[in-house]
Amino acid sequence: MSLVKDKSGLYHYAHHSVDTLWVAGSMLAGVTPTTGAGTFPAANLIIYCPVRVTKATRVKKLWIAAQNTAGAPDTLVLGVYGRGGTKLFDSGNITHPATSDEIVANVTNAILPPSLYYLAVTQNATAGTFQRFAPGAPIPAAMGLRTEAGAGGLPATATWVVDNTLNFVPIMGMLLGETVT
Amino acid sequence: MTLKKFYTEPKLDMVSILGPWGPAAIPVQIVPSSSGFEAANRTVYFPISVPVACTVRRFWWVNGATVSGGANITMAIYRTTSGNEPNLRIGTATAVQGAANSLQFVTPANPVGLTPGIYWIAIGSDSNTNTTLFGSGTSTTYDASFRFQEATATPPSNATPTESGTTSIYLCGFSTQSSP
């Protein structure tokens, strides 16, 4: 059981998904950027999104919002990093599907103690499209997002930077239950 | 009823007026954009609620599209000593406005340790000519809930806040990390 205080000071129970949509994330709770479909900003770019975990949490799956893609079947990887930049686990390679749905990947029941974590996503090309928030740059940097010009996949240790040009906030998270596939 | 034993608030890396520790009273969802600083030689104070011990290692703000005014921007953090308003400055840093459309970080002379409580983030500028920041306006009907101001370009060691005369909220705050 966990109680989480939201932006208005109210306590409520932790829910089934720790993600970039909820106020329980660590981004700009007062900001409402537009959402919509967008291609991935650059091949092999890694985007790191901060999220708060407020109780010891067993992570069953990772997910990200995908949009139907007519392009090549790009390969993406989802992962979770500690606040110091160490990778804790990742999904392995996932083929971007030609559907508009959540992409869901099982992980090995990782347990996270309460802390700030960074959800990570990278993709090897830009054709694979996602649903995402699209605030103007550099608002995502102010939200605490970081990026890295990756070389394919997710590295063991992040070498992240403040990216004043990023205007793409992935809609992604960690699932604590088994139902969503 | 004891709630704390169920609840652990993680320390944030980037703390913002518009983030989870910002004023819960801001009653509207906004999208910050580049806009002119409200007045030369003015400091604005915004409350934040810090729920966990942390350290201010850098202040930051977001430069807008026009920075040619070369304004001196000063950030500070205050705590309350009386009256439930900003009183005592406990950390500050300043710089000339730098690159447009970018976060700008400034480092205080010494890191500032915070214990859980209410603090005030201050941002001041000596110019509003060709000086833009990312922010948003709200309404004069409720700005008393989330800001004070003072007629000074540099947040003073002891604040003398006055009632807010405008509605701007600026996208600014502090980082608990030295980098990135």
Side-chain angles (χ1 to χ4, degrees):
Chain A
M1 178 186 298
S2 175
L3 289 168
V4 179
K5 187 175 73 170
D6 70 15
K7 186 169 181 288
S8 63
L10 299 175
Y11 286 84
H12 55 82
Y13 292 101
H15 45 83
H16 65 290
S17 177
V18 178
D19 56 48
T20 57
L21 285 169
W22 281 70
V23 170
S26 69
M27 302 193 297
L28 297 184
V31 173
T32 307
T34 57
T35 60
T39 55
F40 202 66
N44 294 322
L45 181 73
I46 305 170
I47 303 174
Y48 300 97
C49 306
V51 293
R52 295 183 297 168
V53 170
T54 56
K55 67 166 185 173
T57 296
R58 185 184 297 275
V59 180
K60 303 281 189 177
K61 306 181 181 198
L62 300 176
W63 69 273
I64 190 167
Q67 185 74 18
N68 188 13
T69 302
D74 299 342
T75 298
L76 63 111
V77 183
L78 308 176
V80 177
Y81 286 73
R83 72 182 317 154
T86 299
K87 185 172 70 175
L88 304 177
F89 53 90
D90 69 34
S91 64
N93 290 339
I94 304 169
T95 299
H96 195 299
T99 56
S100 296
D101 199 356
E102 294 94 350
I103 298 173
V104 180
N106 292 326
V107 293
T108 54
N109 289 334
I111 296 177
L112 302 179
S115 185
L116 185 74
Y117 295 91
Y118 285 85
L119 304 176
V121 57
T122 187
Q123 187 168 262
N124 68 345
T126 60
T129 307
F130 297 88
Q131 280 285 324
R132 86 294 190 230
F133 297 110
I139 293 174
M143 298 166 88
L145 275 73
R146 300 164 175 176
T147 68
E148 177 176 349
L154 295 175
T157 301
T159 307
W160 46 32
V161 298
V162 173
D163 185 345
N164 287 307
T165 65
L166 183 69
N167 61 358
F168 184 109
V169 180
I171 299 174
M172 63 185 301
M174 300 182 281
L175 289 170
L176 315 186
E178 300 279 9
T179 301
V180 179
T181 58
Chain B
M1 181 179 181
T2 301
L3 293 174
K4 286 187 175 178
K5 67 180 181 180
F6 297 117
Y7 170 71
T8 300
E9 174 64 41
K11 182 176 66 175
L12 300 179
D13 286 346
M14 291 283 282
V15 178
S16 166
I17 292 165
L18 293 174
W21 297 357
I26 295 175
V28 292
Q29 299 281 293
I30 63 173
V31 178
S33 60
S34 174
S35 56
F37 190 71
E38 58 193 62
N41 300 315
R42 177 172 292 179
T43 290
V44 187
Y45 303 94
F46 300 97
I48 59 165
S49 174
V50 174
V52 61
C54 62
T55 300
V56 178
R57 300 195 182 280
R58 293 177 297 167
F59 295 102
W60 59 268
W61 66 84
V62 183
N63 292 323
T66 303
V67 295
S68 57
N72 293 289
I73 306 291
T74 304
M75 295 284 301
I77 187 164
Y78 287 77
R79 65 179 175 88
T80 293
T81 56
S82 65
N84 300 308
E85 294 177 355
N87 304 121
L88 181 65
R89 191 186 68 198
I90 55 177
T92 187
T94 188
V96 175
Q97 198 170 27
N101 296 315
S102 298
L103 270 70
Q104 187 165 349
F105 291 89
V106 288
T107 303
N110 297 296
V112 183
L114 305 180
T115 56
I118 299 294
Y119 295 88
W120 299 80
I121 294 289
I123 182 168
S125 174
D126 63 355
S127 173
N128 65 342
T129 301
N130 295 322
T131 303
T132 61
L133 298 171
F134 268 70
S136 180
T138 55
S139 171
T140 55
T141 60
Y142 49 72
D143 60 322
S145 181
F146 53 81
R147 54 168 280 166
F148 289 102
Q149 64 190 49
E150 185 170 352
T152 175
T154 306
S157 56
N158 290 283
T160 307
T162 62
E163 180 177 342
S164 176
T166 187
T167 66
S168 295
I169 301 170
Y170 299 105
L171 185 48
C172 61
F174 63 84
S175 174
T176 62
Q177 303 292 317
S178 299
S179 70

